[in-house]
Amino acid sequence: MAKSAFRQALEDAIEQRHSAVHPWSEAWTSGKLDRRQLGEWVKQHFHYVSHFAEWVAAVYANCPHPEVQHFLLENVTEEEGLVGMHGAAPVRHSDLLLEFGEVCGKSRTEILNAQVNGELLAETLGLQSWCTVQSRKPFVEALSGLLIGLESQVPRIYSKTTPPLLEKYGFSEEEVTFFTIHIAADIEHGEKGYEIVEKYATTDEQRAACVRNVREATMMRRLYLDGVWRTFVEKKAGQKLAA
């Protein structure tokens, strides 16, 4: 079935700044990073994804449509490990990320306390704050940013970056569970996000706001990766040259 012009505009807004083709993702995929750098990424990424269920729950609270509420509640319970996904045992997704961080050499305490200790990058804080503001917008606009602009990018990113974790970095299948479960889950969540937004964004003004929010989401995610790239790759390279 042919895509609507609105659906195409939403997809185009992502493709213009997709994080799968960011220098950080390219370095990850080519095996140019090390476990310490991956651990630093975990320290930043945890303080973004660990709040995702909260943001989705805020949208749930502002949504008047029971079928959309049901989907959002399902999303939250999966993220928080109250129910399993695709036959897998229930597990809190952020705990899987903490476990991956530990394998990379970062203690759970160090990751959990990164924000309290002032170790989050300004770009990470920017993405975190943008999502918090986004979650309180009218539900269809909020979902365009959170589910389409952010979550729907994940399968393409992790489909690209997960195989190298096994083949080039030496992790086991169990150690990369955080990534593998999100490849399947976020295809479903992202597609459902498109369906909801297409159904309930019924005016030109709403559709324009949704496209703008998707564009902002992709911009904020890339800005966050810019910070990770500059701090843990470019700065490291500069220090080596100086030495």
Side-chain angles (χ1 to χ4, degrees):
M1 187 171 67
K3 296 178 182 177
S4 68
F6 179 39
R7 170 68 181 251
Q8 191 63 56
L10 293 169
E11 292 184 2
D12 290 346
I14 295 176
E15 287 303 315
Q16 290 170 9
R17 296 187 181 90
H18 204 296
S19 289
V21 294
H22 189 278
W24 172 261
S25 300
E26 298 294 346
W28 181 321
T29 302
S30 62
K32 294 179 180 178
L33 304 177
D34 56 37
R35 290 197 177 202
R36 185 195 66 80
Q37 290 168 312
L38 293 173
E40 294 291 356
W41 170 81
V42 171
K43 188 193 290 189
Q44 302 297 316
H45 202 66
F46 176 83
H47 290 275
Y48 155 54
V49 297
S50 65
H51 295 292
F52 210 86
E54 299 168 26
W55 298 324
V56 173
V59 182
Y60 167 90
N62 291 324
C63 179
H65 304 289
E67 74 277 14
V68 179
Q69 286 183 319
H70 180 81
F71 163 70
L72 296 176
L73 189 59
E74 183 180 72
N75 193 320
V76 170
T77 55
E78 289 175 353
E79 287 285 343
E80 292 298 295
L82 301 177
V83 298
M85 296 167 40
H86 303 285
V91 60
R92 195 176 193 183
H93 295 183
S94 57
D95 284 344
L96 293 174
L97 184 58
L98 287 172
E99 291 172 8
F100 178 72
E102 289 178 312
V103 178
C104 293
K106 295 292 181 184
S107 72
R108 186 172 292 241
T109 299
E110 180 182 356
I111 296 169
L112 289 172
N113 292 338
Q115 186 156 4
V116 173
N117 293 336
E119 296 174 340
L120 294 191
L121 302 176
E123 294 87 349
T124 304
L125 293 171
L127 176 59
Q128 190 186 78
S129 297
W130 183 88
C131 289
T132 300
V133 171
Q134 185 76 12
S135 69
R136 287 157 174 75
K137 289 185 177 180
F139 86 96
V140 72
E141 296 178 27
L143 292 183
S144 66
L146 294 173
L147 296 189
I148 297 177
L150 295 174
E151 200 166 24
S152 77
Q153 289 196 60
V154 171
R156 180 174 163 192
I157 296 169
Y158 289 173
S159 293
K160 181 177 180 178
T161 58
T162 303
L165 292 175
L166 304 171
E167 300 161 5
K168 298 180 180 180
Y169 296 97
F171 294 97
S172 69
E173 292 276 359
E174 184 178 0
E175 289 168 340
V176 302
T177 301
F178 172 80
F179 303 95
T180 54
I181 67 169
H182 281 92
I183 293 173
D186 289 347
I187 288 176
E188 179 181 324
H189 293 168
E191 183 57 37
K192 185 65 176 179
Y194 276 115
E195 292 176 11
I196 293 169
V197 171
E198 282 198 273
K199 180 177 181 179
Y200 290 104
T202 57
T203 68
D204 289 343
E205 183 179 5
Q206 287 177 322
R207 287 189 283 268
C210 289
V211 172
R212 183 178 64 250
N213 289 347
V214 171
R215 190 175 294 114
E216 286 183 5
T218 59
M219 179 175 63
M220 293 304 298
R221 199 181 204 285
R222 283 189 68 88
L223 183 65
Y224 148 69
L225 289 181
D226 286 345
V228 172
W229 171 256
R230 283 194 300 267
T231 304
F232 304 117
V233 179
E234 287 187 339
K235 185 178 291 186
K236 178 183 177 183
Q239 290 170 345
K240 284 185 176 180
L241 289 174

